[in-house]
Amino acid sequence: MKPTLKFLICIWLLIISSIVNAQQPSFARYKVRLFRGNPAKIRIKGNKLAEEFRTIIKDTYYSKNDIKRWHGATGLNFAGHYCFAYWGCGSPCQMSAIIDLKTGIVYEGPPASLGYEFKKNSRLLIVNPGNTADSCFYCQPKYWVLNERNKKFVQLH
């Protein structure tokens, strides 16, 4: 094979891989600054979601050891100034909420079947991360981004 043909094939492969990578959402694309203040007290009263799931929400927000063991990151763990809490609601079912550390207000998060992936310095949330089973409709990975203005998640793709 001639050197110029090899070069053209390499360039073509680089272009294709960059297109594929650009289609996949990344945590770096939705980066935010981390909150450095003191967390507000959670506002439970008058919030139906917070009242119904107060224990798991409070335990995740206040970093109880058993929650750290089961779920990993607690406290400030999502989108710069939120605590992302989640819990089981049957098999396979998980529900979630975010708590604003600045205000203590609880907001609803998206449901999942096979867990979540999130970072404290990014607004991106991956629901059902890493699943590749084509036959399982409810197991497919979904990408969500937190809209800071209305405190709602917007699904990508």
Side-chain angles (χ1 to χ4, degrees):
M1 201 180 293
K2 294 182 180 180
T4 56
L5 184 57
K6 285 182 183 179
F7 178 75
L8 290 174
I9 290 173
C10 287
I11 295 296
W12 181 76
L13 288 173
L14 284 171
I15 290 170
I16 295 299
S17 70
S18 68
I19 290 170
V20 169
N21 288 336
Q23 292 174 350
Q24 188 84 332
S26 70
F27 289 108
R29 187 179 296 166
Y30 300 98
K31 217 168 186 127
V32 294
R33 284 197 223 190
L34 294 179
F35 175 63
R36 300 284 184 211
N38 293 321
K41 184 179 175 188
I42 298 179
R43 295 181 177 182
I44 300 286
K45 196 172 185 176
N47 183 319
K48 186 178 177 186
L49 178 69
E51 287 176 348
E52 188 171 352
F53 299 102
R54 81 175 55 230
T55 302
I56 188 70
I57 289 171
K58 286 172 82 172
D59 287 357
T60 305
Y61 188 79
Y62 294 116
S63 300
K64 296 287 175 120
N65 284 334
D66 57 341
I67 299 301
K68 282 184 182 179
R69 211 173 17 254
W70 297 333
H71 294 260
T74 58
L76 170 56
N77 62 8
F78 178 67
H81 62 95
Y82 294 93
C83 174
F84 186 85
Y86 62 97
W87 55 93
C89 54
S91 180
C93 174
Q94 292 174 317
M95 293 177 63
S96 67
I98 56 169
I99 307 97
D100 191 331
L101 273 75
K102 293 178 180 179
T103 64
I105 298 173
V106 178
Y107 302 95
E108 188 174 358
S113 299
L114 300 172
Y116 300 93
E117 186 176 345
F118 50 90
K119 296 190 184 246
K120 66 181 175 182
N121 65 344
S122 179
R123 293 183 303 119
L124 178 67
L125 172 68
I126 304 173
V127 173
N128 306 324
N131 186 42
T132 57
D134 291 333
S135 61
C136 179
F137 171 74
Y138 61 85
C139 303
Q140 295 302 310
K142 294 185 175 104
Y143 299 89
W144 297 81
V145 174
L146 178 64
N147 179 328
E148 185 62 39
R149 279 194 187 151
N150 64 10
K151 312 293 187 190
K152 298 204 183 272
F153 286 89
V154 176
Q155 188 173 359
L156 303 175
H157 291 76

